[in-house]
Amino acid sequence: MKKVLLSVLTGLFLTGAAVPSSAVAEPKAGAAAMYAAPTAVGARDIIKEIIDVVGLKPRFEVRAANVPNAAAVILNGQRYILYNEQFVNSLNNALRTDWAGVSILAHEIGHHLNGHTLSKGGSNQQDELEADEFSGFVLRKMGASLSEAQAAIKALADEEDSYTHPGRSSRLTAISQGWRNAQEQILASAKAPTPNRTVANAKLPDTSSSTRAVATRTTASRSKIAGQQILRQVKLQSAPQERIYVTTSYNLVRETERGVEVIGKLQKTNSSRFPYVLESRYFSYLFVSTDGLLLNEEGRRVGVLTTA
């Protein structure tokens, strides 16, 4: 990785926050100056590499902007990782490994993929730990050692807890947990490959009676579609007539008159509030809450995951 890329990334992890989408989705007068003319940095390949290891597509932009330090934000429907160039440049010698720069970017992407930017409460310790765990998971998948995955936190994190961020020890533990989860998957895959290992051993949210009550009743209960076992049905408010299902191989499939087509997949996150995310070319990302509700990237409820 080029040295200039590391200098761009080094400051993002110190106080980087998951800013709630409500705070940036509809900027007021004067807010435009805060994000005026952001400059893209040369981290596009790194973003793609991080996203590839979790099986998703790169839908993030990293840009310089007039923010205090760094943040994962949604601005006018687009997902960004924003950073203060002056702040970053002042820390360009603080981290001494290329993996530290990657972990910073992975942490911020973790805020997006775990649904933290849907929250109206701003940064909190739980969200930061989940983003740290995501970072550790990603770096192991990319080939980093545990020491390399923890390098940024060891160099930059405060020892004590703050109101928004955990202390160094807790964050190192979270990174270690993510790293070890990835290590276990790598070892297991070498013995017995399973489809879509990020969710193969996980339990889907329980669709409670209250959740099922708000969903449109399925016209006919199905356990199989064209030979594929069905776990859940996806009911979208904007298209209640669509027959969309999650299969046991965690593919997202759509039943049509011509047959069944695969339109996306279900991925596991490490978020306590949104344990899964649905990705499809039809609707980008939909976050799955613990009670089976589907939220779009702006935090609006758009459907429900029900029993098939």
Side-chain angles (χ1 to χ4, degrees):
M1 188 185 304
K2 296 181 180 179
K3 185 176 181 180
V4 65
L5 175 58
L6 180 58
S7 71
V8 167
L9 297 177
T10 51
L12 293 176
F13 210 40
L14 277 174
T15 54
V19 176
S21 58
S22 58
V24 295
E26 297 178 1
K28 297 180 181 179
M34 184 176 184
Y35 301 96
T39 303
V41 300
R44 197 60 165 181
D45 291 343
I46 300 303
I47 293 176
K48 185 178 186 302
E49 191 174 349
I50 291 171
I51 296 299
D52 282 348
V53 300
V54 292
L56 299 174
K57 296 179 181 178
R59 290 189 173 119
F60 308 91
E61 293 188 27
V62 180
R63 297 197 177 188
N66 185 22
V67 293
N69 39 71
V73 303
I74 300 175
L75 180 62
N76 296 326
Q78 173 63 45
R79 298 196 157 210
Y80 294 98
I81 296 171
L82 304 177
Y83 70 96
N84 183 304
E85 197 165 22
Q86 183 177 357
F87 171 79
V88 170
N89 288 336
S90 70
L91 296 171
N92 62 359
N93 292 319
L95 308 179
R96 300 178 180 180
T97 171
D98 291 351
W99 286 114
V102 177
S103 73
I104 292 163
L105 195 53
H107 174 94
E108 296 299 335
I109 290 176
H111 279 309
H112 279 311
L113 292 185
N114 281 315
H116 298 159
T117 46
L118 304 183
S119 171
K120 297 181 180 180
S123 295
N124 61 74
Q125 292 189 15
Q126 183 62 38
D127 286 357
E128 294 304 322
L129 290 176
E130 289 175 355
D132 286 335
E133 185 177 340
F134 177 86
S135 174
F137 179 90
V138 164
L139 263 69
R140 176 61 191 95
K141 288 281 190 163
M142 294 173 67
S145 68
L146 178 57
S147 177
E148 289 168 334
Q150 294 176 324
I153 282 297
K154 287 181 179 178
L156 300 174
D158 292 332
E159 185 175 351
E160 301 297 329
D161 292 354
S162 70
Y163 180 73
T164 58
H165 286 67
R168 183 186 298 119
S169 177
S170 296
R171 301 189 70 176
L172 290 175
T173 299
I175 292 172
S176 176
Q177 181 62 51
W179 191 94
R180 295 184 190 285
N181 287 344
Q183 175 75 354
E184 289 175 3
Q185 286 189 8
I186 292 171
L187 293 176
S189 67
K191 297 177 180 178
T194 55
N196 226 339
R197 296 181 187 92
T198 53
V199 290
N201 297 318
K203 182 179 179 181
L204 285 171
D206 181 22
T207 51
S208 64
S209 58
S210 60
T211 301
R212 291 194 297 269
V214 298
T216 303
R217 183 177 296 275
T218 308
T219 56
S221 177
R222 291 178 172 83
S223 60
K224 291 185 179 181
I225 293 183
Q228 301 188 64
Q229 296 287 337
I230 300 303
L231 286 180
R232 295 287 191 272
Q233 181 172 12
V234 176
K235 302 295 291 186
L236 300 177
Q237 294 175 357
S238 61
Q241 75 284 356
E242 290 283 359
R243 298 187 295 275
I244 302 175
Y245 303 91
V246 176
T247 72
T248 51
S249 59
Y250 300 98
N251 286 323
L252 192 65
V253 300
R254 175 172 172 262
E255 188 178 14
T256 69
E257 293 181 355
R258 298 180 180 179
V260 176
E261 62 173 334
V262 178
I263 62 172
K265 53 193 166 185
L266 179 78
Q267 294 280 5
K268 190 179 185 301
T269 74
N270 57 355
S271 171
S272 58
R273 290 173 296 167
F274 303 102
Y276 294 89
V277 60
L278 285 169
E279 184 196 18
S280 171
R281 62 180 179 272
Y282 286 108
F283 44 68
S284 186
Y285 296 139
L286 292 183
F287 294 92
V288 184
S289 71
T290 53
D291 55 0
L293 299 180
L294 301 177
L295 284 72
N296 65 14
E297 293 177 290
E298 296 178 352
R300 297 188 180 93
R301 178 176 160 181
V302 296
V304 67
L305 198 64
T306 80
T307 53

